[in-house]
């Protein structure tokens, strides 16, 4: 290498290391040259570094700023389960659906499942509409009408198991990223939306939909391009509880101490609105007491005999609707009564196969309902009393079961940022 060529390389390298103008390199402004080698990006032999303007906007999502909180039950433990004792944790920022997944969204899913996948998978994706049928009540019309009648379009989908909800998240990720990649007109980043998108993964497998890979590995959307979203998924129990608390609304400016706590996703210790023209109205859809689902005609309380419009009732301080009442919501975690004691204090999550094994629970002898296939659900529903509206309460059910009182919403990590 002659001196002039060496000098030119050294100058380029020094310029890259110092970033010359505009300060140090960032994810959105990485510069033309590597800050560690001085080699030029996006040449025939150089590394390809795609333009990146930040994570694309995910349809339906609200940003949830993370931080420190105290998880656990804020109510008296009337069930005597002692399974959610208070503890301090930190939750990273993430995204969550502003409302529960509604019937119209599930019908969209069924449309593409029938169009792109096998009849077998389509049948497996159908909600169990018979969850409305009761031996001693006349809810039979909901069996036929609740999912498909247009008037119920934006009511929360129910009759969906935890397994079905996970399949929906995988499909939604693939479809949204297919559209984003198409909008970006990125060569080699197409996705067929075909049957592979609908194949159920094993219960403990890590999802690969963020990469846009179909089940047969035929097509791929590159993560490095930055034009796609991470996985839509069920929120962890800790994320869900943190988002329901919405303690951002209780913070004093410049004061890091959390001086006010909430029993419910709103201020105060009551379930009625204490302010303004809506004073005295109920803040959630729940069962007031035995036989009282909606109040008296002419002066209804929550106004909903069953589920309600997913945007009904005031949102919490994060902008999330119905984080208490309407329907319970599935979360990712497997259920264990000692999760509060066993999990980490940063982004806690209870997965299969770690600590507190299922063998300790006598399910075969009918002394327990706990095994590795029961999942947590949270939030209370139209069929529950106010106790279950508190974010710290928790219950569980088999992952392949469904009821008329459980739905779900999706979440997503906040990739590449702490804000």
């Amino acid at each position: 290498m002659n001196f002039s060529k060496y000098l030119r390389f050294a100058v380029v390298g020094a310029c890259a290391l110092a970033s010359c103008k505009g300060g140090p390199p960032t994810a959105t402004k990485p510069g033309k040259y590597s800050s560690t080698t001085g080699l030029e990006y996006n040449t025939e032999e150089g590394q390809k570094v795609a333009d990146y303007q930040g994570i694309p906007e995910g349809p339906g999502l609200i940003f949830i700023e993370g931080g420190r909180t105290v998880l656990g039950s804020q109510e008296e433990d009337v069930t005597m389960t002692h399974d959610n004792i208070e503890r301090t944790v930190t939750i990273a920022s993430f995204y969550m659906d502003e409302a529960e997944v509604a019937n119209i969204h599930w019908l969209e899913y069924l449309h593409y499942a029938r169009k792109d996948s096998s009849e077998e998978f389509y049948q497996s994706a159908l909600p169990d509409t018979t969850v409305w049928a009761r031996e001693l009540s006349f809810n039979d019309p909901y069996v036929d009408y609740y999912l498909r009648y247009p008037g119920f379009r934006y009511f929360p989908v129910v009759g969906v198991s935890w397994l079905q909800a996970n399949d929906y998240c995988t499909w939604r990720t693939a479809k949204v990223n297919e559209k984003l990649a198409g909008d970006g007109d990125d060569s080699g980043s197409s996705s067929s939306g075909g049957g592979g998108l609908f194949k159920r993964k094993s219960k403990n497998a890590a999802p690969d939909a963020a990469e846009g890979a179909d089940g047969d590995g035929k097509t791929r959307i590159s993560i490095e391009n930055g034009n796609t979203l991470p996985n839509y998924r069920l929120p962890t129990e800790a994320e869900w509880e943190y988002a329901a608390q919405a303690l951002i609304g209780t913070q004093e400016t410049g004061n890091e101490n959390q001086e006010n706590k909430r029993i419910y996703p709103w201020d105060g210790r009551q379930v009625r609105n204490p302010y303004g023209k809506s004073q005295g109205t109920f803040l959630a859809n729940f069962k007031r007491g035995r036989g009282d689902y909606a109040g008296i005609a002419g002066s209804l309380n929550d106004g909903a005999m069953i589920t309600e419009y997913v945007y009904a009732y005031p949102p919490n301080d994060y902008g999330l609707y119905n984080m208490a009442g309407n329907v319970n919501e599935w979360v990712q975690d497997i259920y264990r009564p000692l999760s509060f004691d066993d999990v980490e204090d940063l982004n806690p999550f209870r997965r299969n196969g770690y600590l507190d094994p299922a063998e300790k629970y006598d399910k075969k002898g009918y002394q327990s309902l706990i095994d590795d296939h029961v999942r947590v659900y949270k939030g209370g529903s139209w069929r529950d009393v106010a106790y279950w509206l508190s974010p710290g309460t928790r219950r569980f059910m088999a992952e392949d079961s469904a009821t008329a009182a459980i739905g779900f919403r999706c979440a997503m990590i906040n990739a590449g940022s702490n804000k």
Side-chain angles (χ1 to χ4, degrees):
M1 180 184 295
N2 61 42
F3 179 77
S4 61
K5 189 173 183 181
Y6 173 80
L7 181 62
R8 185 167 62 251
F9 179 82
V11 169
V12 167
C15 184
L17 290 170
S19 295
C20 286
K21 296 180 181 180
T26 66
T28 56
K29 295 180 180 180
K32 187 177 180 181
Y33 301 94
S34 166
S35 60
T36 57
T37 65
L39 298 174
E40 188 173 359
Y41 296 133
N42 296 319
T43 62
E44 184 176 347
E45 295 185 358
Q47 179 188 358
K48 181 180 179 183
V49 178
D51 290 336
Y52 175 67
Q53 300 303 318
I55 186 171
E57 184 175 346
L61 297 176
I62 294 286
F63 177 70
I64 309 297
E65 183 181 11
R68 183 193 69 215
T69 190
V70 177
L71 298 183
S73 181
Q74 307 298 311
E75 283 276 41
E76 183 180 355
D77 189 6
V78 297
T79 61
M80 301 298 289
T81 53
H82 304 295
D83 66 349
N84 205 20
I85 295 174
E86 291 184 339
R87 70 277 187 198
T88 300
V89 303
T90 293
I91 307 297
S93 299
F94 62 102
Y95 293 90
M96 179 177 272
D97 278 342
E98 65 178 348
E100 296 142 342
V101 173
N103 287 322
I104 191 171
H105 305 132
W106 200 268
L107 290 173
E108 178 188 29
Y109 172 44
L110 293 177
H111 165 79
Y112 284 102
R114 169 155 275 178
K115 176 181 176 183
D116 298 331
S117 190
S118 66
E119 182 64 20
E120 180 183 5
F121 183 86
Y122 172 79
Q123 292 295 327
S124 74
L126 291 172
D128 181 6
T129 59
T130 65
V131 293
W132 290 106
R134 308 283 287 184
E135 293 294 337
L136 298 177
S137 64
F138 186 66
N139 292 330
D140 305 47
Y142 297 129
V143 174
D144 296 323
Y145 285 90
Y146 181 80
L147 174 65
R148 299 181 182 277
Y149 188 72
F152 289 120
R153 279 175 177 165
Y154 281 94
F155 282 46
V157 66
V158 297
V160 172
S161 71
W162 183 92
L163 294 172
Q164 288 176 309
N166 272 273
D167 284 344
Y168 175 87
C169 293
T170 301
W171 168 83
R172 182 177 176 185
T173 302
K175 275 299 179 186
V176 170
N177 280 336
E178 178 185 352
K179 183 179 186 305
L180 287 172
D183 290 345
D185 195 27
D186 192 297
S187 61
S189 60
S190 62
S191 178
S192 66
L197 297 175
F198 301 99
K199 291 184 179 179
R200 176 171 293 150
K201 302 179 69 61
S202 66
K203 297 183 180 76
N204 293 312
D208 62 0
E211 300 183 7
D214 68 15
D216 299 318
K218 294 180 180 178
T219 58
R220 182 176 295 275
I221 296 173
S222 176
I223 293 176
E224 289 84 357
N225 286 339
N227 62 352
T228 57
L229 287 166
N231 294 327
Y232 284 90
R233 56 173 172 78
L234 292 179
T236 66
E237 181 178 5
E239 286 175 334
W240 193 100
E241 190 171 330
Y242 177 83
Q245 290 177 347
L247 294 177
I248 190 173
T250 68
Q251 279 293 95
E252 297 291 337
T253 303
N255 182 359
E256 193 179 352
N257 293 325
Q258 195 72 60
E259 297 177 351
N260 299 305
K261 301 190 73 173
R262 288 173 166 165
I263 294 178
Y264 305 112
W266 51 79
D267 291 338
R269 303 181 67 86
Q270 68 283 334
V271 293
R272 294 180 183 270
N273 192 332
Y275 308 112
K277 295 180 179 179
S278 300
Q279 185 174 3
T281 59
F282 276 75
L283 292 165
N285 175 16
F286 66 103
K287 183 178 179 180
R288 189 177 180 184
R290 185 179 295 275
D292 186 356
Y293 289 84
I296 299 171
S299 184
L300 297 176
N301 47 48
D302 66 45
M305 287 70 173
I306 56 165
T307 56
E308 177 57 286
Y309 178 51
V310 295
Y311 293 102
Y313 314 103
N316 72 7
D317 286 315
Y318 277 127
L320 304 172
Y321 291 84
N322 289 300
M323 291 298 285
N326 212 22
V327 289
N328 291 286
E329 298 179 17
W330 288 114
V331 296
Q332 278 199 53
D333 298 50
I334 190 172
Y335 177 81
R336 288 292 188 273
L338 296 179
S339 287
F340 67 88
D341 192 40
D342 293 338
V343 294
E344 300 277 357
D345 60 1
L346 173 63
N347 297 324
F349 170 58
R350 165 68 76 177
R351 67 180 81 238
N352 286 5
Y354 294 91
L355 303 177
D356 205 6
E359 290 75 19
K360 289 186 177 181
Y361 298 89
D362 185 15
K363 190 168 185 178
K364 291 182 179 179
Y366 302 102
Q367 301 300 309
S368 175
L369 296 173
I370 299 172
D371 62 14
D372 286 340
H373 303 289
V374 292
R375 302 288 172 169
V376 178
Y377 63 91
K378 308 271 286 183
S381 75
W382 61 274
R383 205 163 64 187
D384 293 315
V385 294
Y387 172 79
W388 298 107
L389 304 183
S390 181
T393 57
R394 61 200 302 253
R395 287 175 285 181
F396 64 91
M397 193 169 68
E399 63 188 19
D400 60 354
S401 298
T403 78
I406 301 180
F408 73 101
R409 72 181 76 210
C410 300
M412 179 185 294
I413 66 165
N414 180 36
S417 172
N418 286 318
K419 297 181 180 179

